[in-house]
Amino acid sequence: MARVLVVEDDQFVRSALIRHLTEAAHTVRSVGTALEALREVAQVGFDVVILDLGLPDLDGGEALKMLRGITDVPVIIATARDDEAEIVRLLNDGADDYLTKPFSVEHLSARMAAVLRRSRTTGPGAEPPSPAIRVGGLCVDPLRRQAQLDGCALDLTRREFDLLAFLAGRPGVVVARRELLAEVWQQSYGDDQTIDVHLSWLRRKLGETAARPRYLHTLRGVGVKLEPPQ
């Protein structure tokens, strides 16, 4: 079972989450502010953080950025906000998933299981990553989680790197969006826009666009493939 940190200032919601997670045999700690969350994460090893955005001392979005500065622990945003632009921004800032309140305990459990499966395949004790992958001028090193394009380091978010590494490991192969959701996001279903957003940011860092692709090619209605420039 997982070690979970619940960051939630609403006492009713906080108690309900603690009760449900404890009944599911998880070890749960909870705090009501962003600063307490940062202190807990710095001192205690957690498997997943459930983060509310409406915290009294610091907006949860800013707290997420600060968390990403000190840890790669999976973070699930749980909030009443449902603005699409904000959801996209939070995913780009390093959130692993996003739940809009109200949500069922079954839904939360499924999302937690998904991010935990992903983190355990890349964390300590996982199977060693493959050697560096080269596709044209692109070099992806899963072991060091580094990527270079024509000898220059790429500044990628964790999700961007995972997406790039997965596609680079299958050069020239068209990967269906459903497979990307399952393998990169560890979800059996989801919004295609999440994939589109990450592909867009990844293209920008590779110096290309959807209209003028070099490495990343989208086949409408089929999937995505990565191959060296012609």
Side-chain angles (χ1 to χ4, degrees):
M1 293 296 105
R3 295 162 295 176
V4 185
L5 176 64
V6 174
V7 187
E8 170 65 65
D9 68 320
D10 185 308
Q11 190 59 49
F12 177 79
V13 175
R14 186 171 165 183
S15 297
L17 287 174
I18 293 170
R19 182 174 63 255
H20 162 67
L21 293 169
T22 302
E23 289 173 351
H26 297 299
T27 301
V28 186
R29 293 173 71 98
S30 66
V31 294
T33 69
L35 293 181
E36 288 176 313
L38 291 167
R39 183 165 57 247
E40 285 287 314
V41 168
Q43 297 176 350
V44 181
F46 291 101
D47 296 309
V48 63
V49 174
I50 300 173
L51 176 65
D52 179 47
L53 294 182
L55 300 173
D57 60 333
L58 188 66
D59 181 78
E62 293 303 313
L64 172 65
K65 293 179 182 179
M66 296 175 73
L67 282 170
R68 279 291 162 258
I70 61 174
T71 181
D72 280 337
V73 63
V75 176
I76 298 175
I77 302 295
T79 181
R81 303 180 194 175
D82 60 359
D83 179 70
E84 185 175 288
E86 182 169 33
I87 294 173
V88 170
R89 177 178 60 79
L90 288 163
L91 290 170
N92 282 324
D93 284 344
D96 292 84
D97 210 339
Y98 191 106
L99 281 172
T100 302
K101 299 175 183 176
F103 50 81
S104 68
V105 292
E106 292 79 13
H107 196 171
L108 173 61
S109 294
R111 294 299 185 92
M112 277 185 55
V115 298
L116 287 170
R117 281 196 302 271
R118 179 184 174 278
S119 67
R120 285 166 180 165
T121 60
T122 57
E127 187 176 324
S130 304
I133 304 165
R134 296 185 182 276
V135 182
L138 185 65
C139 178
V140 181
D141 188 337
L143 181 61
R144 296 179 175 82
R145 292 189 66 81
Q146 295 175 349
Q148 294 183 340
L149 179 62
D150 299 329
C152 297
L154 294 172
D155 183 15
L156 304 177
T157 66
R158 181 173 58 169
R159 188 74 78 188
E160 289 167 353
F161 180 87
D162 291 340
L163 177 58
L164 180 63
F166 185 80
L167 291 171
R170 297 152 182 79
V173 175
V174 179
V175 181
R177 289 170 176 270
R178 181 175 297 179
E179 185 177 356
L180 289 176
L181 281 171
E183 299 297 334
V184 179
W185 276 264
Q186 294 292 313
Q187 296 179 11
S188 58
Y189 64 93
D191 188 349
D192 280 359
Q193 186 179 31
T194 298
I195 298 176
D196 291 337
V197 167
H198 284 84
L199 283 172
S200 176
W201 282 95
L202 194 51
R203 283 193 175 100
R204 184 178 301 180
K205 293 178 180 180
L206 292 175
E208 61 182 69
T209 65
R212 299 177 64 87
R214 295 181 65 236
Y215 285 90
L216 292 171
H217 301 264
T218 299
L219 281 73
R220 188 178 298 276
V222 183
V224 183
K225 68 176 178 178
L226 184 148
E227 61 184 11
Q230 299 300 317

